């Protein structure tokens, strides 16, 4: 989710407008020090990272599709999903877990954001912003505005085991650990139907480790075209499901290097048992757990892992 190296200017309300390589509208958060989308662009990221691995072509016309999106942001992912479902004749039921309406408000006020969308898509986004819900001919959408750690629990009361797709698009774990903890991911996984998929741009060892602990099979999303591997980037994200997905050029099994990464201190989960801790507290608790795991020999250091794999 991070943007290529730049020095974003301060903007009203803590956001700066950005344009991706594909020309699409995006935002930079001055509070988190991260972009809402990668530098390749919001629309391209939504297509490659979220929509393509979802493989809507698996579903017959008229089928129902239930989706939960963790962090709605500018609404780009939802816009693309609405239009893809309309083309395929799918009945969409969507819930967005989001705390802050400002990014969606800023996006809808920008001509560059509005230009690609169908009028019905803009109507849906506008009504979600003002009323928190929207109903179309073949789609219903809801945003129960508030802390996702609480709203996910409310959704569990109604939709446990019923969701077909979870799109996890929060700011990165280092910036927003609240939405990548063992407890939050456990709640998200509890929403999933047997054939569901959890999809994210995130490849963090701590997140992949938790998904495995929760019984999911993890695969690495393929790196998007034009993004070379190297440094800390060796995949385009993660998809997880209760059963292994059929082979596809869109993903691959985790490599020996990636699996070894999960066993290091980098794989130590983020934890938030109360569901109300702030980022600093969660990070401090994790650092303590990492130190304990290293001291007991339960986990080798991530630096030792990097040396072992000549990174």
């Amino acid at each position: 989710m991070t943007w290529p190296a730049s020095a974003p200017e301060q903007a009203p309300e803590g956001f700066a407008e950005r344009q991706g390589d594909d020309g699409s509208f995006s935002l930079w958060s001055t509070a988190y020090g991260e972009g809402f989308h990668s530098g390749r662009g919001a629309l391209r990221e939504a297509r490659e990272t979220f929509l393509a691995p979802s493989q809507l072509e698996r579903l017959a016309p008229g089928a129902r599709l239930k989706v939960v999106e963790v962090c709605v942001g500018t609404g780009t992912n939802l816009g693309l999903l609405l239009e893809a479902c309309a083309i395929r004749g799918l009945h969409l039921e969507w819930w967005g877990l989001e705390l802050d309406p400002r990014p969606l408000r800023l996006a809808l006020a920008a001509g560059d954001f509005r230009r690609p969308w169908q009028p019905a898509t803009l109507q849906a986004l506008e009504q979600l912003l003002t009323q928190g819900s929207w109903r179309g001919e073949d789609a219903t959408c809801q945003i129960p505005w508030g802390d996702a750690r609480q709203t996910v629990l409310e959704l569990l009361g109604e939709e446990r085991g019923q969701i077909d797709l979870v799109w996890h698009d929060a700011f990165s774990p280092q910036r927003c650990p609240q939405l990548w903890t063992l407890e939050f991911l456990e709640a998200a996984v509890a929403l999933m139907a047997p054939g569901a998929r959890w999809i994210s741009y995130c490849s963090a060892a701590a997140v992949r480790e938790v998904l495995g602990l929760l019984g999911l099979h993890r695969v690495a999303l393929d790196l998007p075209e034009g993004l070379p591997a190297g440094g800390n980037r060796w995949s385009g994200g993660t998809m997880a499901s209760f059963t292994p997905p059929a082979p596809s050029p869109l993903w691959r099994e985790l490599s020996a290097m990636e699996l070894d990464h999960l066993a290091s201190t980098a794989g130590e989960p983020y934890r938030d048992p109360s569901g109300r801790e702030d980022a600093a507290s969660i990070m401090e608790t994790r650092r303590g757990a990492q130190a304990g795991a290293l001291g007991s020999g339960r986990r080798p250091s991530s630096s030792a892992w990097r040396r072992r794999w000549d990174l």
Side-chain angles (χ1 to χ4, degrees):
M1 233 167 150
T2 53
W3 205 265
S6 63
E9 298 178 358
Q10 294 294 320
E13 299 186 282
F15 301 100
E17 291 189 12
R18 287 288 181 268
Q19 187 178 75
D21 290 344
D22 63 359
S24 60
F25 174 91
S26 186
L27 292 170
W28 175 278
S29 169
T30 57
Y32 286 98
E34 272 190 4
F36 279 65
H37 307 94
S38 66
R40 62 193 142 120
L43 283 171
R44 184 181 168 195
E45 181 178 280
R47 290 191 186 98
E48 294 175 340
T49 302
F50 293 99
L51 188 62
S54 299
Q55 293 184 319
L56 300 189
E57 62 272 17
R58 298 176 295 141
L59 306 175
R64 183 185 65 179
L65 177 67
K66 290 191 171 188
V67 180
V68 168
E69 185 172 351
V70 179
C71 295
V72 178
T74 63
T76 301
N77 290 347
L78 173 57
L80 199 66
L81 180 64
L82 281 168
E83 298 192 358
C85 286
I87 289 171
R88 295 193 171 277
L90 302 177
H91 179 77
L92 175 65
E93 296 180 37
W94 175 95
W95 293 263
L97 306 184
E98 179 59 73
L99 175 66
D100 191 350
R102 294 177 298 168
L104 182 54
R105 183 179 299 120
L106 288 167
L108 287 168
D112 286 347
F113 175 82
R114 299 179 66 91
R115 196 165 296 116
W117 304 116
Q118 296 293 323
T121 303
L122 290 172
Q123 181 187 45
L125 294 174
E126 288 166 347
Q127 193 166 322
L128 281 166
L129 176 63
T130 58
Q131 300 180 29
S133 64
W134 172 80
R135 180 179 295 273
E137 184 176 346
D138 287 307
T140 59
C141 300
Q142 300 178 55
I143 300 181
W145 297 102
D147 189 326
R149 292 175 292 180
Q150 277 72 62
T151 54
V152 73
L153 299 179
E154 297 170 7
L155 188 56
L156 267 174
E158 300 175 0
E159 298 295 333
R160 181 183 292 268
Q162 301 297 313
I163 300 302
D164 302 302
L165 291 171
V166 175
W167 286 4
H168 203 123
D169 202 15
F171 285 111
S172 68
Q174 288 291 324
R175 303 286 185 171
C176 185
Q178 302 96 309
L179 299 186
W180 302 97
T181 63
L182 185 151
E183 294 81 9
F184 185 80
L185 288 168
E186 184 176 31
V189 169
L191 285 169
M192 294 169 58
R197 296 178 178 185
W198 180 97
I199 300 172
S200 180
Y201 72 90
C202 182
S203 302
V207 174
R208 286 178 167 178
E209 174 79 339
V210 167
L211 293 171
L213 292 173
L214 295 174
L216 271 63
H217 182 89
R218 303 143 302 180
V219 294
L221 298 181
D222 191 34
L223 269 174
E225 185 178 352
L227 295 182
N232 292 322
R233 183 178 60 214
W234 47 80
S235 80
T238 304
M239 185 173 79
S241 53
F242 291 112
T243 56
S248 168
L250 297 175
W251 54 73
R252 58 169 174 77
E253 295 296 323
L254 298 187
S255 67
M257 177 195 74
E258 289 170 304
L259 290 170
D260 196 29
H261 193 210
L262 309 190
S264 75
T265 52
E268 186 66 33
Y270 299 89
R271 297 178 188 271
D272 178 22
S274 72
R276 298 186 182 277
E277 295 295 330
D278 61 19
S281 297
I282 294 171
M283 296 297 287
E284 182 61 29
T285 297
R286 181 171 183 257
R287 283 190 289 269
Q290 287 176 311
L294 183 62
S296 69
R298 184 169 59 85
R299 291 183 183 272
S301 69
S302 57
S303 58
W305 167 78
R306 299 185 75 84
R307 289 193 299 271
R308 186 160 53 251
W309 292 94
D310 194 27
L311 296 174

